[in-house]
C-alpha cells in the first residue's frame, strides 16, 4: 500500500463489511486474505470464507455526506463519543459504493452514464427442474419488467420473481431506478450526454429517464413486447412507458397504484336537462330580483370587477412564462440546498422505518430482514443528495406541461390492465384503485383481503395466483382476436 493509508473491504456472500480486525495476513491487493477477529469472537478466530479484496479509497472518502468534522487530534475522542447514531439505525460514517452492497445474484449495466442495479430470473434456464410439468402447464411466453415504488428497490420483488417467472415461462427483470436501491448516485454536474446526437443529457432522476430505462430493459431482454408490473409510484413509470411506446407493452399490472384517479362524470341528455333546469331557475331568480336595487348594484359591481380582473389576467398571461421560469429556478435552488439535504435525512430517520411498518396490514410480518432490506440503500454514498435530486426532478418537471394531464389520458390505454390493491392500504386507499379501474377501459380490479400497501410481499401466493389468472385470460383473448383477424 506504500505510505498511503486506505481501507480495504472484504466481500463474500455472507458478510458485507469486515472492519476492526486485529490481524491481516498475506495481504496483496486482489488476492485472497485471512482475517483474524478481535478477542470477543475468540482468540485468533479465522474467517470461514476466503474473501476477495477490493480497494475502497481512503478513509476520508468514506465519510458521510453530512458536515465535515474538524481535523484536530484533540477533538478526536470527543467526536467519537458524540458520533451520531445514524439514519434509521444505519451508521453514516462509513458509506460505500453500491457495488460493495450487492447480493450474489445482483447485476449491473450502464445506461446513459448510470450503473443500473438489476436482477434477472430466467424460468427457461430452470426448465430442466420441471420438464415433466412443462408440457402440461400453459405459459405466457412474454418477459416481465418489475418497477418498484418510492423508497423501495429490487428487494421488494425478491419473493415473487421466481413464481412470476414460472407463470410466464420467460425472464423476469427488476431494476433500481436512480436514487433508489443500489443503482449509482449520479452527480448531475458531471453527468454528460451519451453522445448519440440527442438534444442534451436527460436528468437521470427524472420520469423521462425512468421511462427510457424501462424501454431499454425490453431491448435488454431481446423482446418486442413485455409485461410491465408497477407498484405504487412505479405504476406512473409503467403508464408513461405505455404512452411513450404502446407497441412495446403487452399488458400492465398496477399494484397499489399511486395514480390519482378522476371521479367519473356522467354526461349526456341527463346533463343537458340539468343545464336547462339550472337556466330556468336562473331566469326565474332574475325576474324575482328585478325590483331589488341592492341586488342590481351588486351585479353591476360584480361585472365591473370581472372586467378589471380579465384585463389584469391579459397582462399576467404575458408574464406567466417568465414567472414560471423564475419560480422553478428558485424552487430548484431551494430543493438542492444543504437545508433540503438535512431535511431529507431528518425525515428518513424519523419516519423511514415507521413508513415500512405502516405499509403492511400485519406489522408482525415486518421482520428485521425486511427492515434491513429497505434501509440497506442508506449505506450508499450520496443517497441523501440523490433523493433530493429525485424530489427536485419530480417537482420541477416541465416535460408534462405540453401534454394533457395523466387523468385525462387514461381512456387511451388499450392493452390489458390488471389493478391489484389491498383492502387495508393506508398509503394509497383502495377506493382510489376502484376509481382508476373505472377510468381505464376494460381493466380488471382485484382487492386482496387483510392486506396493506404491499400485496406482492404480504400476500405472495394470492398475488401470484391473481396475476396468473389475469395473464392466462388476457392471452386467450389476444389469441382469439388474432385468429379472427387471420380468418
Amino acid at each position: 500500500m506504500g505510505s498511503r493509508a486506505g481501507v480495504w473491504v472484504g466481500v463474500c456472500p455472507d458478510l458485507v463489511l469486515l472492519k476492526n480486525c486485529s490481524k491481516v495476513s498475506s495481504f496483496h491487493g486482489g488476492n485472497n486474505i485471512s482475517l483474524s477477529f478481535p478477542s470477543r469472537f475468540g482468540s485468533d478466530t479465522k474467517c470461514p470464507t476466503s474473501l476477495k479484496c477490493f480497494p475502497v479509497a481512503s478513509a476520508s472518502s468514506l465519510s458521510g455526506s453530512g458536515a465535515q468534522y474538524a481535523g484536530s487530534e484533540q477533538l478526536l475522542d470527543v467526536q467519537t463519543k458524540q458520533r451520531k447514531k445514524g439514519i434509521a439505525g444505519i451508521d453514516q460514517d462509513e458509506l460505500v459504493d453500491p457495488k460493495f452492497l450487492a447480493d450474489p445474484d445482483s447485476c449491473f449495466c450502464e445506461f446513459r452514464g448510470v450503473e443500473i442495479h438489476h436482477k434477472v430470473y430466467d424460468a427457461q434456464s430452470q426448465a430442466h427442474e420441471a420438464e415433466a410439468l412443462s408440457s402440461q402447464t400453459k405459459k405466457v411466453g412474454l418477459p416481465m419488467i418489475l418497477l418498484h415504488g418510492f423508497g423501495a428497490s429490487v428487494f421488494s420483488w425478491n419473493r415473487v420473481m421466481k413464481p412470476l417467472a414460472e407463470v410466464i415461462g420467460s425472464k423476469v427483470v427488476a431494476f433500481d431506478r436512480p436514487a433508489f436501491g443500489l443503482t449509482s448516485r449520479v452527480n448531475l454536474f458531471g453527468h454528460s450526454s451519451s453522445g448519440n446526437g440527442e438534444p442534451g443529457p436527460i436528468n437521470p432522476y427524472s420520469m423521462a429517464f425512468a421511462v427510457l430505462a424501462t424501454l431499454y430493459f425490453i431491448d435488454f431482454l431481446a423482446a418486442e413486447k413485455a409485461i410491465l408490473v408497477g407498484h405504487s409510484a412505479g405504476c406512473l413509470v409503467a403508464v408513461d412507458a405505455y404512452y411513450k411506446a404502446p407497441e412495446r407493452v403487452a399488458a400492465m399490472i398496477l399494484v397499489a397504484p399511486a395514480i390519482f384517479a378522476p371521479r367519473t362524470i356522467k354526461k349526456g341528455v341527463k346533463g343537458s336537462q340539468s343545464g336547462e333546469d339550472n337556466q330556468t331557475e336562473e331566469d326565474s331568480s332574475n325576474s324575482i330580483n328585478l325590483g331589488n336595487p341592492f341586488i342590481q348594484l351588486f351585479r353591476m359591481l360584480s361585472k365591473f370587477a370581472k372586467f378589471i380582473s380579465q384585463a389584469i389576467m391579459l397582462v399576467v398571461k404575458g408574464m406567466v412564462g417568465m414567472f414560471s421560469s423564475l419560480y422553478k429556478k428558485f424552487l430548484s435552488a431551494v430543493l438542492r440546498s444543504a437545508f433540503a439535504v438535512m431535511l431529507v435525512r431528518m425525515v428518513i430517520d424519523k419516519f423511514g422505518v415507521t413508513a415500512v411498518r405502516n405499509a403492511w396490514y400485519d406489522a408482525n410480518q415486518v421482520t428485521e430482514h425486511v427492515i434491513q432490506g429497505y434501509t440497506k440503500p442508506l449505506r450508499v454514498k450520496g443517497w441523501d443528495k440523490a433523493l433530493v435530486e429525485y424530489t427536485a426532478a419530480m417537482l420541477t418537471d416541465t416535460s408534462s406541461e405540453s401534454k394533457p394531464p395523466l387523468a385525462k389520458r387514461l381512456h387511451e390505454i388499450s392493452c390489458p390492465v390488471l389493478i391489484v390493491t389491498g383492502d387495508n392500504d393506508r398509503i394509497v386507499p383502495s377506493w382510489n384503485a376502484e376509481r382508476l379501474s373505472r377510468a381505464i377501459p376494460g381493466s380488471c380490479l382485484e382487492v386482496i383481503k387483510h392486506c396493506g400497501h404491499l400485496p406482492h410481499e404480504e400476500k405472495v401466493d394470492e398475488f401470484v395466483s391473481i396475476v396468473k389468472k389475469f395473464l392466462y385470460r388476457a392471452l386467450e383473448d389476444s389469441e382469439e382476436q388474432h385468429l379472427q383477424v387471420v380468418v
Side-chain angles (χ1 to χ4, degrees), residues 79-134:
Q79 291 172 1
T80 302
K81 292 179 181 179
Q82 295 180 349
R83 178 178 292 180
K84 295 181 179 180
K85 65 179 181 179
I87 304 296
I90 302 299
D91 186 5
Q92 296 294 290
D93 289 331
E94 294 184 350
L95 303 182
V96 299
D97 186 271
K99 290 187 177 180
F100 285 95
L101 302 174
D103 298 322
D105 58 343
S106 292
C107 302
F108 291 87
C109 64
E110 183 177 349
F111 176 70
R112 292 177 178 262
V114 180
E115 290 287 335
I116 298 181
H117 172 249
H118 63 281
K119 293 186 178 182
V120 183
Y121 191 90
D122 188 358
Q124 295 178 349
S125 65
Q126 308 294 330
H128 63 279
E129 299 179 1
E131 291 181 356
L133 296 176
S134 61

Side-chain angles (χ1 to χ4, degrees), residues 274-346:
S274 177
E276 292 175 2
D277 293 341
N278 291 337
Q279 183 65 36
T280 303
E281 292 176 2
E282 185 178 354
D283 292 340
S284 61
S285 177
N286 288 337
S287 61
I288 293 173
N289 296 316
L290 283 176
N292 193 324
F294 294 102
I295 292 180
Q296 291 182 4
L297 177 62
F298 174 77
R299 287 178 177 172
M300 290 176 62
L301 292 175
S302 297
K303 290 180 179 180
F304 178 73
K306 184 178 180 181
F307 172 79
I308 296 298
S309 64
Q310 288 176 344
I312 294 174
M313 285 302 299
L314 289 175
V315 176
V316 171
K317 283 182 179 180
M319 305 174 66
V320 166
M322 181 183 68
F323 280 124
S324 178
S325 177
L326 292 174
Y327 164 74
K328 289 182 177 178
K329 287 181 180 179
F330 172 76
L331 180 61
S332 178
V334 171
L335 290 173
R336 292 182 170 92
S337 65
F339 172 77
V341 174
M342 181 186 69
L343 184 62
V344 164
R345 293 168 66 91
M346 183 180 67

Side-chain angles (χ1 to χ4, degrees), residues 51-65:
L51 306 177
K52 191 72 175 177
C53 288
F54 301 88
V56 183
S58 63
S60 62
S61 67
L62 291 178
S63 63
S65 55

